[in-house]
Amino acid sequence: MRQLKGKAVVAQGGGPTAVINQSLVGLVIEARKWRYITNVYGARFGVSGIINEDFLDLSQTTTHNLEMVAASPSSALGSTRVKPDEAYCARMVEVFQKHGVRYFFYIGGNDSAETCRIVASYARLVNYELRVIHIPKTIDNDLAVTDHCPGFGSAARFVTSAFACLDLDNFAIPGVFLGVVMGRHAGWLTASSVMARRDPKDGPHLIYVPERVFDTDRFLDDVERVHSANGRCVVALSEGIVGADHRPVLTHLQPESEFDAFGNVQLSGRGTLGDALSDAIKQRLGIKRVRCDTFGYLQRSFLGVISDSDSSEARDVGETAVHFAFNRQMNGSVAIRRTGDYSVDYFLTPLETVAAHTKLLPPEYLKGDSDIDESFRDYARPLIGTIPHFDRIIAPRVDPAAVEP
Amino acid sequence: MRQLKGKAVVAQGGGPTAVINQSLVGLVIEARKWRYITNVYGARFGVSGIINEDFLDLSQTTTHNLEMVAASPSSALGSTRVKPDEAYCARMVEVFQKHGVRYFFYIGGNDSAETCRIVASYARLVNYELRVIHIPKTIDNDLAVTDHCPGFGSAARFVTSAFACLDLDNFAIPGVFLGVVMGRHAGWLTASSVMARRDPKDGPHLIYVPERVFDTDRFLDDVERVHSANGRCVVALSEGIVGADHRPVLTHLQPESEFDAFGNVQLSGRGTLGDALSDAIKQRLGIKRVRCDTFGYLQRSFLGVISDSDSSEARDVGETAVHFAFNRQMNGSVAIRRTGDYSVDYFLTPLETVAAHTKLLPPEYLKGDSDIDESFRDYARPLIGTIPHFDRIIAPRVDPAAVEP
């Protein structure tokens, strides 16, 4: 089997995760072992590091430093929100040619997979032999083909832990609490809040995801119903919830919205959505204590909140990407197949099957308009792992009428 | 030594913490051993459980359940924001008389200590023998006399971990990031963000606490200076920052503010302050990528983010409260004395020395208007413990001019 010989470039795209550096390090340590890879370059700040020829020489990094980086959250190489078009990708291939790069590994979501697809197609067009492997990463868990995405399990662990403690907080000082969770199109991360609910009385009592049309009147009815019944109400809400016009609810609340290179409205990094819904609850339902936390950037790569399986798999997809590059001799995206409860296997799927696709929560995981089906637990539990144990006091009430002083 | 014989009531006041239930359980397990305490009642929802005679019989709780509760965040008995006046406290003493309660333990902050003071003074007035012990708890760390407060270390651990990962996030995708931290009058919790800074280039680059007057123009100058120098800027900001008029900056931004029973404006549970400052940075400095997270309720009792020393000491102050009630035969507030680096001792201080006092960050911990002095680290390190290790890549840059393809 003739092997391509040349340098490898690895880059990280999109939002950081708690385990994205496991993929980076799994890949680098493995790539350094193969004699066909003459050097491993890390592109700084995603694809922009490629066109700027801004590379770190990862052959000269100590294994110990790499292991420390693997355990660190966020994207150690830096990332970018740039969306490369054909011209941008052409420039990337030119840089690869100049540097003798024959292997391009891109760790990211569906936009990064799309970049891989364009780069691979341009390289074919100009007859430059280049192996392009996409390595899955996204807290949104919305990549097609793969059973789930590295980065999701740890973020979901944060969201589950958050709702567990926020529900205890709301139990201690009752009222309405809204927790706004990341998720533009897909509600996977918000859905994982259901894992915080151990007892039917536990919150979150209401869960809203972008897969269902959000109606403010219905939402207020739901909150009123739960609050009347329990004296309190905990709500999990995707930042990307959409109205009947299929536009994010946030765009209606915030006239001067900010848009990124992908044409997506900026959802995270401010409290607008939750604050507006809190105001609606206060004003229209007359409930006094209404609090909202927008989880923001804390949830995507919190230091020390790591799912074991997520961390292992993130490492594996990085290392496996190198194996696939040599053994399959084809481009593709590394995907995870669930083979048992719980075991997984990795395979390579064509870039086209992942690029720019979005996998939404399937209907069987949705329960009505404001809840997640219990079956979702079987899917999510092994990805999140066991969160720290917590409990409520089990003690009888004292009957004031039967008191002996 | 004649010992008072009767029931004990324990209640939890104010905001939940990650370790407040350690104090509860340390107290209950110890109190159940003393034959002078005929029963241990837990008042549900703080002092309101006392006037409503809403008690749990904690003598009938299993030790295992108690241990599970000890490890759980938030206030297991429920809490309250009620501020008892003389009449309210008189009613509490009446209930104590009716139920034969001779020991009142109240776990809370300086408002709870004030309640203890009023209750103790009313009991004396009506010649009802009652032992009143205040057990310190607050993430704000603003109680007088004690070296520090149980609950602070774990919340500070959350804040430190948060800024460590948010700084890595901001390094990966540069821009301005504001993190809004709890703290009405005292900046202890916000100050602990400095612990995330391992290297002088690390964020938070600017830290604003309520002990210094906040000036928006100066703030914008600071942000511009740091952003120009580093291409990015991470800011830690207390929600309670005040303007030159000594009123919270938030009250100027939010005309219809909500006030609690203590006359305090509601600071947490919405994104107003951070969003307004983000807008000012965008509009007046022309910086495009500005993000803000208001840490909100996540920071005060996050599941699994616990400082070991905080957890141990929270347990100890609960158990010690029972010892003091018997051995000292006087009312008071349990306080912590730092005896070494790192060791502590507990003592009882008169209720008057803690009630309604607020301990601000001393000037030696403040560095200019927008930073915390390095000396604060020696104070905070043992309280927070070691956060998970993280690292950046150490690798040489590739010189694009010296490339051999």
Side-chain angles (χ1 to χ4, degrees):
Chain A
M1 200 154 59
R2 191 187 70 87
Q3 290 289 6
L4 262 172
K5 189 166 182 176
K7 291 178 184 140
V9 160
V10 56
Q12 296 175 311
T17 81
V19 298
I20 187 173
N21 295 327
Q22 289 286 1
S23 298
L24 172 70
V25 170
L27 186 153
V28 171
I29 289 181
E30 185 61 18
R32 299 204 299 191
K33 294 178 190 162
W34 291 72
R35 64 187 174 90
Y36 296 104
I37 292 184
T38 54
N39 214 331
V40 185
Y41 282 3
R44 296 181 75 222
F45 304 105
V47 287
S48 67
I50 298 171
I51 62 158
N52 297 330
E53 297 177 69
D54 186 0
F55 297 119
L56 295 179
D57 184 352
L58 299 180
S59 307
Q60 299 192 49
T61 303
T62 68
T63 310
H64 180 73
N65 176 239
L66 286 173
E67 288 297 353
M68 291 296 103
V69 168
S72 305
S74 190
S75 307
L77 289 172
S79 190
T80 179
R81 288 289 182 191
V82 162
K83 180 172 172 56
D85 56 11
E86 301 271 340
Y88 199 104
C89 291
R91 172 81 185 113
M92 285 168 65
V93 174
E94 281 163 27
V95 172
F96 290 156
Q97 288 178 297
K98 174 182 168 188
H99 286 262
V101 172
R102 294 293 184 175
Y103 296 92
F104 173 43
F105 299 100
Y106 199 18
I107 308 169
N110 39 23
D111 289 324
S112 304
E114 172 69 359
T115 299
C116 287
R117 192 191 62 76
I118 304 174
V119 165
S121 122
Y122 185 80
R124 259 193 313 271
L125 188 74
V126 297
N127 270 320
Y128 181 69
E129 241 187 315
L130 180 72
R131 186 77 65 249
V132 182
I133 307 280
H134 169 253
I135 298 162
K137 171 271 349 172
T138 171
I139 64 164
D140 292 333
N141 202 40
D142 63 352
L143 298 188
V145 185
T146 190
D147 177 75
H148 58 276
C149 306
F152 168 68
S154 298
R157 187 177 178 84
F158 183 94
V159 169
T160 302
S161 304
F163 275 98
C165 69
L166 291 167
D167 186 56
L168 292 171
D169 195 309
N170 182 261
F171 171 84
I173 308 184
V176 175
F177 179 85
L178 309 183
V180 181
V181 180
M182 276 186 170
R184 184 175 299 281
H185 302 296
W188 295 95
L189 196 55
T190 306
S192 65
S193 66
V194 77
M195 303 297 289
R197 201 157 68 201
R198 299 191 315 180
D199 186 89
K201 285 182 192 160
D202 291 349
H205 308 98
L206 299 167
I207 304 174
Y208 300 92
V209 292
E211 284 82 356
R212 288 279 186 257
V213 168
F214 184 85
D215 179 273
T216 306
D217 290 331
R218 206 169 51 210
F219 164 74
L220 291 172
D221 287 348
D222 291 344
V223 170
E224 186 163 46
R225 177 173 42 79
V226 172
H227 188 264
S228 304
N230 304 332
R232 68 190 194 90
C233 178
V234 174
V235 182
L237 195 79
S238 283
E239 60 182 11
I241 49 164
V242 291
D245 59 356
H246 299 292
R247 293 183 60 210
V249 172
L250 182 66
T251 52
H252 299 288
L253 302 170
Q254 186 178 278
E256 293 177 18
S257 294
E258 182 184 331
F259 292 86
D260 70 9
F262 300 89
N264 296 320
V265 64
Q266 182 212 330
L267 296 174
S268 293
R270 49 188 305 131
T272 316
L273 176 64
D275 289 351
L277 293 175
S278 298
D279 289 343
I281 294 169
K282 283 186 194 178
Q283 285 154 20
R284 289 170 56 185
L285 301 184
I287 297 173
K288 276 183 71 177
R289 190 168 196 279
V290 184
R291 299 291 184 263
C292 176
D293 282 344
T294 302
F295 293 180
Y297 296 98
L298 292 172
Q299 72 199 297
R300 70 183 183 187
S301 59
F302 199 81
L303 188 68
V305 179
I306 306 277
S307 144
D308 288 343
S309 61
D310 190 29
S311 177
S312 310
E313 293 170 8
R315 182 75 169 225
D316 277 351
V317 292
E319 184 171 338
T320 301
V322 180
H323 299 171
F324 285 159
F326 287 106
N327 299 333
R328 305 290 161 89
Q329 301 214 21
M330 55 183 276
N331 300 332
S333 175
V334 180
I336 302 173
R337 183 189 292 124
R338 192 183 297 229
T339 52
D341 183 14
Y342 177 74
S343 58
V344 297
D345 190 9
Y346 305 99
F347 64 104
L348 201 64
T349 181
L351 290 170
E352 293 72 21
T353 61
V354 178
H357 291 293
T358 299
K359 186 172 73 182
L360 302 181
L361 275 171
E364 65 259 33
Y365 289 152
L366 303 173
K367 186 175 166 188
D369 293 313
S370 58
D371 206 357
I372 294 298
D373 194 79
E374 290 292 307
S375 60
F376 179 77
R377 292 174 179 270
D378 296 332
Y379 170 81
R381 190 175 284 112
L383 313 184
I384 293 172
T386 309
I387 63 169
H389 193 82
F390 57 94
D391 215 341
R392 294 203 165 86
I393 295 177
I394 303 166
R397 299 279 279 276
V398 173
D399 177 2
V403 166
E404 298 164 38
Chain B
M1 201 155 59
R2 191 188 70 89
Q3 291 289 7
L4 264 172
K5 189 167 181 175
K7 290 178 185 138
V9 160
V10 56
Q12 297 174 311
T17 81
V19 297
I20 187 173
N21 295 327
Q22 289 286 0
S23 299
L24 172 69
V25 170
L27 186 153
V28 171
I29 289 182
E30 185 61 17
R32 299 204 300 189
K33 295 179 191 161
W34 291 71
R35 65 191 172 91
Y36 297 102
I37 292 183
T38 55
N39 213 331
V40 184
Y41 282 3
R44 296 182 74 222
F45 302 107
V47 287
S48 68
I50 297 171
I51 62 159
N52 297 330
E53 297 177 70
D54 186 0
F55 297 119
L56 296 179
D57 184 352
L58 299 179
S59 307
Q60 298 192 49
T61 303
T62 66
T63 310
H64 179 72
N65 176 238
L66 286 173
E67 289 297 354
M68 290 295 103
V69 168
S72 305
S74 191
S75 307
L77 288 172
S79 190
T80 179
R81 289 287 182 193
V82 162
K83 180 171 172 56
D85 56 13
E86 303 272 339
Y88 199 104
C89 291
R91 172 83 184 112
M92 285 168 66
V93 174
E94 282 164 26
V95 172
F96 290 155
Q97 289 177 298
K98 172 181 170 190
H99 287 260
V101 172
R102 293 292 183 175
Y103 296 92
F104 172 42
F105 299 99
Y106 199 17
I107 309 169
N110 39 23
D111 289 324
S112 304
E114 172 68 358
T115 299
C116 287
R117 191 191 62 76
I118 304 174
V119 165
S121 120
Y122 184 81
R124 258 192 313 270
L125 189 74
V126 297
N127 270 320
Y128 182 68
E129 241 188 314
L130 180 71
R131 186 78 66 248
V132 182
I133 307 280
H134 170 251
I135 297 162
K137 172 270 354 171
T138 171
I139 63 163
D140 292 333
N141 202 40
D142 62 351
L143 297 188
V145 185
T146 190
D147 177 76
H148 58 276
C149 306
F152 169 68
S154 298
R157 187 178 178 84
F158 184 94
V159 169
T160 302
S161 304
F163 276 97
C165 69
L166 291 167
D167 185 57
L168 292 170
D169 194 310
N170 182 261
F171 171 84
I173 308 184
V176 175
F177 179 86
L178 309 183
V180 180
V181 180
M182 277 186 170
R184 183 175 299 281
H185 302 296
W188 296 95
L189 196 55
T190 306
S192 65
S193 66
V194 77
M195 303 298 290
R197 202 157 69 200
R198 299 193 312 180
D199 187 89
K201 286 182 192 160
D202 291 348
H205 307 98
L206 299 168
I207 305 174
Y208 300 92
V209 292
E211 284 81 356
R212 288 278 187 257
V213 167
F214 183 85
D215 179 275
T216 306
D217 290 330
R218 205 168 53 210
F219 164 74
L220 291 172
D221 287 348
D222 292 344
V223 170
E224 186 162 47
R225 176 173 43 79
V226 172
H227 188 265
S228 303
N230 305 331
R232 67 189 195 89
C233 179
V234 174
V235 182
L237 197 78
S238 283
E239 60 181 13
I241 49 166
V242 292
D245 60 355
H246 299 293
R247 293 183 59 211
V249 173
L250 182 66
T251 52
H252 300 288
L253 302 171
Q254 186 178 277
E256 293 176 19
S257 294
E258 182 183 331
F259 293 85
D260 70 8
F262 300 88
N264 296 320
V265 63
Q266 181 213 330
L267 295 173
S268 294
R270 49 187 307 132
T272 316
L273 176 65
D275 289 351
L277 293 174
S278 298
D279 290 342
I281 295 170
K282 283 187 194 178
Q283 286 154 19
R284 288 170 55 185
L285 301 183
I287 297 173
K288 275 184 70 177
R289 191 170 194 278
V290 183
R291 300 291 185 264
C292 177
D293 282 344
T294 302
F295 293 0
Y297 297 96
L298 292 173
Q299 72 199 295
R300 70 182 183 188
S301 58
F302 199 82
L303 187 69
V305 179
I306 306 275
S307 144
D308 287 342
S309 60
D310 191 31
S311 177
S312 308
E313 292 171 6
R315 182 73 169 227
D316 276 353
V317 292
E319 184 171 338
T320 302
V322 180
H323 299 172
F324 285 159
F326 287 106
N327 299 334
R328 306 289 161 90
Q329 300 214 20
M330 57 182 274
N331 300 331
S333 174
V334 180
I336 303 174
R337 183 189 293 123
R338 191 182 298 227
T339 52
D341 183 15
Y342 178 73
S343 58
V344 297
D345 191 9
Y346 305 100
F347 63 104
L348 200 64
T349 181
L351 289 170
E352 292 73 19
T353 61
V354 177
H357 291 293
T358 299
K359 186 172 72 182
L360 303 181
L361 275 171
E364 65 259 33
Y365 290 152
L366 303 173
K367 186 176 166 187
D369 294 314
S370 58
D371 206 358
I372 293 299
D373 194 79
E374 291 293 307
S375 60
F376 179 78
R377 290 174 181 270
D378 296 333
Y379 171 81
R381 189 175 285 112
L383 313 184
I384 293 173
T386 310
I387 63 169
H389 193 82
F390 57 94
D391 216 340
R392 293 204 164 85
I393 295 176
I394 303 166
R397 299 279 279 276
V398 172
D399 177 3
V403 164
E404 297 165 38

